[in-house]
Amino acid sequence: MKKIGYTNDSYPERRTIINGNLHPLKKVKSLNTYYPHTALKRIPFIGRNAVVYFKDIVFNDEGVDGLHLFNTVTNKKISWISTFETYIPRTSATSFLDHNNLTKKSIKEKNRTEKYVEILAKDYCKKVISLSKNNYEMELRFLGFFPQYKDTIKKKMIQINPPQEKLMEKSEVELKVVNPILKFLFVGKDFTRKGGKEILDVFSKIKEERHFDFELTIVSLGKSYNYAFGKYQDTEEEIQEMKNKLRNTDWINFYESLDNKKLLEMMKNSDVGLLPTWADTYGYSVLEFQASGCPVITTNVRALPEINNGTIGWMIQLPLDNSGEVDVSSITKKQTLRAHLQNSLEKIVLEILENPQQIKEKSIQSYDAVSKNHSVKGYMEKLSEIYSENF
């Protein structure tokens, strides 16, 4: 059986490469250029214009038949594949993607990026695996800027849904009882980006005006930066107000972190998961909620419509660009989008509180959907086939 090398064991790699893999694995010595590039960006003045590229410099591939990378490319002369979640090659140099912004800077960035695109077209790169249909289509549009390589790389591209282990048996989900006092749960370290402020504002309003009895639990580091906002971040006053409300509201159960076992138990015992996110590459927490028999409220950004809908959960419809992302191009646009997100979330939460009987059916259907579409066994068998054919 082929022995597979990998370069990192962070959360995405554990989910998509390591956990449950049918082949023997070995972590190889490497350096991802992301880290020195990011360190350079932190140096005042010198690093201001530094560009970040994801590329694995593999120092030692001894004892492996091929490499399975995540979000990166490599010049190592060994067969390799890469799973990616947005674009590949991944880079911060994307100004050239704006057709109306062909400046000297964007032309320079495009030329630099082309060197990494060329690596994908080489024979050593065997497969390029997208996690979603959304990022598969994003990659094709990205490759449109490099027509000399597009067809070669497209032949290597394949889309495979990421795996999700069952966290409950079907019989347990069927026996799961909706709590008399509904339990809502939010999980995500990037609090603002994933809709944490909107959750606080909406649930506070419902508590004050409608007097429904419910339980809200938030597990988050409370990070306030939201990359979807670009240069229109929340003000320091808004951030401080949000943090005070998060930490000092007696009816909110707030945890900065929990060990994974306790968190998964909390998911199993919750009625509704919350992810009214502004931006997400996939939404792994949605799969975990669903595998716990807990339907989720999400937005429709990026890949979320592929894993959630109004039948198996609840979905907030935001206006999106052709990549499935929100366009926050001004403070006014941000305020309009925030009001829409909050109003939509409030409407859904009130509907759930007034008609909690709908939760049971969505619980079963969301569990069935994640079991069918994200089978660990099926995913790993597809990877094994790719390894065997290409390494």
Side-chain angles (χ1 to χ4, degrees):
M1 184 170 275
K2 305 291 185 180
K3 190 168 189 177
I4 310 304
Y6 66 95
T7 57
N8 201 337
D9 51 13
S10 59
Y11 181 72
E13 284 85 354
R14 292 198 304 272
R15 282 203 65 115
T16 60
I17 300 172
I18 300 170
N19 294 347
N21 202 305
L22 302 177
H23 287 247
L25 302 176
K26 178 184 178 182
K27 186 175 182 180
V28 298
K29 293 181 181 179
S30 64
L31 172 67
N32 191 323
T33 56
Y34 164 79
Y35 297 105
H37 286 162
T38 303
L40 181 62
K41 284 180 75 71
R42 296 193 185 104
I43 301 174
F45 304 111
I46 296 175
R48 182 172 51 191
N49 297 316
V51 175
V52 175
Y53 285 92
F54 286 63
K55 177 184 173 185
D56 270 319
I57 301 172
V58 178
F59 299 117
N60 184 0
D61 58 7
E62 185 178 348
V64 301
D65 297 295
L67 301 174
H68 190 165
L69 312 177
F70 188 88
N71 271 344
T72 68
V73 299
T74 184
N75 260 332
K76 192 70 174 178
K77 293 182 178 180
I78 184 175
S79 296
W80 59 273
I81 65 174
S82 190
T83 297
F84 71 105
E85 57 187 352
T86 300
Y87 301 111
I88 190 168
R90 189 167 179 178
T91 174
S92 62
T94 56
S95 62
F96 64 89
L97 296 178
D98 181 356
H99 291 274
N100 301 314
N101 189 31
L102 294 178
T103 62
K104 287 183 178 179
K105 176 189 174 185
S106 66
I107 293 170
K108 182 179 179 181
E109 288 186 346
K110 181 176 180 289
N111 290 338
R112 286 188 65 182
T113 302
E114 184 173 330
K115 297 175 184 178
Y116 292 81
V117 175
E118 184 182 5
I119 295 173
L120 282 175
K122 291 181 178 179
D123 288 342
Y124 289 109
C125 172
K126 300 300 183 181
K127 286 289 178 184
V128 186
I129 304 172
S130 69
L131 288 178
S132 67
K133 297 181 179 70
N134 168 267
N135 78 295
Y136 184 96
E137 293 300 325
M138 287 178 68
E139 179 70 6
L140 289 181
R141 287 193 293 273
F142 175 83
L143 292 174
F145 289 87
F146 308 95
Q148 67 273 43
Y149 301 115
K150 182 177 179 179
D151 288 345
T152 299
I153 297 171
K154 184 179 179 182
K155 291 174 183 175
K156 305 178 184 187
M157 289 173 59
I158 185 173
Q159 190 268 319
I160 309 177
N161 295 336
Q164 174 59 54
E165 64 177 326
K166 295 179 181 180
L167 301 176
M168 298 178 75
E169 294 300 322
K170 177 68 177 287
S171 58
E172 294 178 287
V173 176
E174 291 172 336
L175 292 172
K176 188 175 178 180
V177 177
V178 176
N179 292 294
I181 297 176
L182 295 186
K183 295 183 178 184
F184 295 84
L185 176 60
F186 169 88
V187 179
K189 63 180 180 180
D190 293 335
F191 188 70
T192 300
R193 175 171 66 83
K194 291 178 178 287
K197 175 174 167 48
E198 289 70 37
I199 291 170
L200 281 181
D201 290 347
V202 165
F203 279 84
S204 296
K205 181 182 178 184
I206 292 173
K207 178 67 76 172
E208 292 167 8
E209 296 180 0
R210 302 297 290 267
H211 307 294
F212 277 107
D213 204 3
F214 56 80
E215 184 178 309
L216 174 62
T217 299
I218 292 174
V219 183
S220 177
L221 291 175
K223 291 186 177 182
S224 57
Y225 180 76
N226 181 354
Y227 64 74
F229 288 168
K231 60 183 179 181
Y232 305 106
Q233 299 295 313
D234 290 341
T235 64
E236 286 300 321
E237 292 77 12
E238 288 173 319
I239 291 169
Q240 195 55 53
E241 179 186 356
M242 178 186 71
K243 288 183 175 180
N244 289 340
K245 186 182 289 187
L246 185 61
R247 298 174 187 278
N248 301 318
T249 302
D250 57 9
W251 52 267
I252 296 175
N253 303 315
F254 172 65
Y255 306 88
E256 284 196 342
S257 64
L258 289 172
D259 68 75
N260 197 52
K261 185 177 180 181
K262 188 169 183 179
L263 181 58
L264 294 179
E265 281 303 312
M266 195 174 281
M267 285 182 166
K268 293 176 186 178
N269 293 321
S270 296
D271 298 297
V272 178
L274 301 168
L275 189 66
T277 184
W278 288 83
D280 252 289
T281 53
Y282 199 87
Y284 293 125
S285 66
V286 175
L287 301 182
E288 291 170 339
F289 274 120
Q290 293 171 338
S292 305
C294 182
V296 193
I297 303 171
T298 72
T299 56
N300 60 329
V301 302
R302 291 288 302 270
L304 287 171
E306 298 176 35
I307 59 176
N308 193 37
N309 57 54
T311 300
I312 65 176
W314 302 267
M315 181 163 283
I316 297 166
Q317 299 292 335
L318 295 175
L320 307 174
D321 63 18
N322 63 4
S323 293
E325 299 176 326
V326 294
D327 176 23
V328 181
S329 53
S330 68
I331 287 291
T332 301
K333 187 79 175 287
K334 173 186 164 184
Q335 291 169 339
T336 301
L337 284 167
R338 175 164 270 166
H340 174 69
L341 204 167
Q342 288 177 329
N343 291 337
S344 301
L345 178 60
E346 180 183 358
K347 182 179 178 181
I348 291 171
V349 172
L350 285 173
E351 179 197 348
I352 293 170
L353 290 168
E354 291 167 354
N355 302 287
Q357 65 274 11
Q358 65 184 293
I359 296 173
K360 181 66 179 179
E361 183 63 25
K362 290 179 185 287
S363 170
I364 295 172
Q365 293 205 33
S366 64
Y367 180 87
D368 287 344
V370 75
S371 300
K372 176 184 177 183
N373 299 324
H374 299 270
S375 160
V376 175
K377 181 175 181 290
Y379 176 86
M380 290 304 171
E381 285 175 349
K382 288 177 182 176
L383 281 193
S384 180
E385 187 177 323
I386 290 171
Y387 297 156
S388 299
E389 289 178 357
N390 294 284
F391 295 162

